[in-house]
Amino acid sequence: MSKVTIDIPADFILGAAASAWQTEGWHGKKAGQDSYLDAWYQHDRHVWHNGYGPAVATDFINRYREDVALMKACGLTHYRTSINWSRFLLDYETAEVDEEYARYYDNLLDEMEANGIEPMLCLEHYELPATLLEKYGGWGAKKVVDLFVRYAEKALARYAHRVKRWFVFNEPIVVQTRVYLDALRWPYQQCTATWMQWNHHKNLATARVVALFRAGGWPGSIGTILNPEVTWPRSGAPHDRYAAEMYDLFYNRVFLDPAIKGEYPPALLQLLAQHQVAWEYSDEDLALIAAHRVDEVGLNLYYPHRVKAPSRAWHTETPFHPTYYYEPFELPGRRMNPSRGWEIQPRIVADIACRMRDEYDNFPWFIAENGMGIENEARFRNAQGEIQDDYRIDFIAEHLYEALLARQAGINCRGYMLWAFTDNVSPMNAFKNRYGLIEIDLENQRQRRMKKSAHWFRQLRDSRQLTLTLDDQPR
Ligand code: BG6
């Protein structure tokens, strides 16, 4: 074991993230302002851990002043959240702004400014208005792309003079993968074409919002936040490597390439045609995507995804699904976070860093989310009541170290943001796994308490140095 210290560059982001729906709660929400998540929770509350969901969340909408003070206490340089599209407007067709909700954002931004926390805003973090799902089939319809652009126009007009970093989506692949590809979430459908249609319309929406942002001449930058799952083959055998390449095409490059390179990988288009996945796109759409690429990407990195070549034949009557080309692989002895069931392997950061340098021309990026959700954290409380989350400190340190090494090597990594600032509501898991630097005590009126990691994060910011102990395994 050896102790190492590495400098954190002065302009390197040390922040934390959250989203509107996972924190705000429904206080002040008007009839007709449900998001897709709200509708799912209303239909299927029983699948949410302990029946808890977005209804109160952390009550951030009422407690943001207290929370901004805590952001400062933790030493955050940046805080990222979303604007909840379903609440920002009173009418999604005319884009009439809900003044009450918009004023809350004015106040939140004032508070952050007064405390020296730089805001980052995302225009969509799964907050598709429920009525647009019912009426048009959500992102399956081009009409919804138009309505999103109208919403973006209003949000930018209101805040872009003061918010310098914008993001079109957070993890644009997630909702349709769970709903339409794997039928794991309400309204539980399986249709690969619908999945791809949503992917495409979100890529198109990204390009159109980038165009809008540039036309507005706003001072900041416009990016998007993606969740490429670093995908490793079981072995170096050609069939396993092919499985990993296929996974990468269908789940990672489907968003990375349009956002950064302005085009779909030709191999992906060819596979979708070969498997007769009937999605619609036009030359005009592709031209828009080519012409309007993002300024930077935030990457959400949690765990490596391991795959192997499929071990069974595809049933001829089974509709096409990307698992045609791969099967998940579980490496025996892998280091796990058992609460979330995700492997821990900080090498994913080095891996994606090299990829951004080599395959994406050293494009600017930062870790937009990375973190560790732990069940029943109260068991780690000390006599003074503070959660001693040393496992989180180690997790952050190991991943941040990889990011800083990449930066030292000339890779364009601009920062590290933790998921999450406070404990908050996860889809379905609700408050089961706690991610925050700040505890939300549900037993005591959602009282906020700094965890040990919050103090540690603060000294990271103050010293601009990371010290950690590494095992002496070859890296
Ligand atoms: C990311 C999302 O996928 O991971 C967050 O952007 C989410 O919204 C976070 O909460 C952690 O995952 P989970 O499923 O444990 O909430």
Side-chain angles (χ1 to χ4, degrees), residues 22 125-126 170-171 300 302 340 342 369 419 426-427 435:
Q22 291 173 280
H125 191 128
Y126 317 159
N170 174 79
E171 300 195 350
N300 295 350
Y302 285 91
R340 189 61 181 86
W342 286 345
E369 285 181 27
W419 185 269
S426 289
Y435 282 92

Side-chain angles (χ1 to χ4, degrees), residues 110-291:
D110 287 346
E111 197 69 18
M112 288 175 67
E113 198 176 314
N115 284 279
I117 318 286
E118 181 114 2
M120 292 177 166
L121 286 182
C122 205
L123 290 163
E124 206 258 26
H125 191 128
Y126 317 159
E127 293 124 342
L128 168 75
T131 170
L132 300 185
L133 180 65
E134 284 150 28
K135 201 164 159 193
Y136 300 114
W139 287 102
K142 216 171 206 172
K143 168 88 181 174
V144 169
V145 178
D146 295 338
L147 298 180
F148 180 72
V149 175
R150 247 178 251 173
Y151 146 66
E153 208 168 353
K154 290 290 172 74
L156 291 171
R158 180 109 184 186
Y159 308 115
H161 62 287
R162 59 189 311 196
V163 175
K164 299 293 178 307
R165 265 183 153 123
W166 287 87
F167 300 91
V168 184
F169 287 101
N170 174 79
E171 300 195 350
I173 199 167
V174 165
V175 172
Q176 62 272 24
T177 301
R178 308 283 180 273
V179 173
Y180 293 102
L181 193 61
D182 295 327
L184 295 169
R185 293 182 183 171
W186 179 84
Y188 314 104
Q189 292 177 24
Q190 207 298 311
C191 178
T192 305
T194 306
W195 171 73
M196 189 56 211
Q197 197 65 61
W198 278 50
N199 289 340
H200 175 61
H201 283 156
K202 288 185 179 182
N203 279 319
L204 184 61
T206 304
R208 289 192 51 194
V209 173
V210 169
L212 179 74
F213 188 85
R214 303 234 164 94
W218 305 111
S221 62
I222 180 90
T224 196
I225 293 171
L226 305 177
N227 55 317
E229 292 179 355
V230 171
T231 306
W232 289 330
R234 165 181 60 177
S235 76
H239 47 271
D240 285 337
R241 287 175 34 194
Y242 184 64
E245 269 167 41
M246 291 294 110
Y247 188 93
D248 189 48
L249 264 184
F250 281 106
Y251 297 102
N252 298 335
R253 293 185 60 194
V254 64
F255 279 100
L256 276 172
D257 283 27
I260 303 177
K261 297 183 173 176
E263 62 181 17
Y264 286 109
L268 175 67
L269 297 183
Q270 194 263 317
L271 285 166
L272 293 167
Q274 179 190 326
H275 290 286
Q276 297 169 346
V277 177
W279 60 297
E280 284 173 17
Y281 65 100
S282 66
D283 289 346
E284 194 196 340
D285 295 351
L286 299 187
L288 275 165
I289 290 171

Side-chain angles (χ1 to χ4, degrees), residues 19 28 30 44 55 69 167 178 209 224 334 368 436 445-446 459:
S19 70
K30 301 174 181 67
D44 265 357
F167 300 91
R178 308 283 180 273
V209 173
T224 196
R334 66 208 169 127
Q445 288 90 43
R446 295 178 194 80
Q459 67 71 36

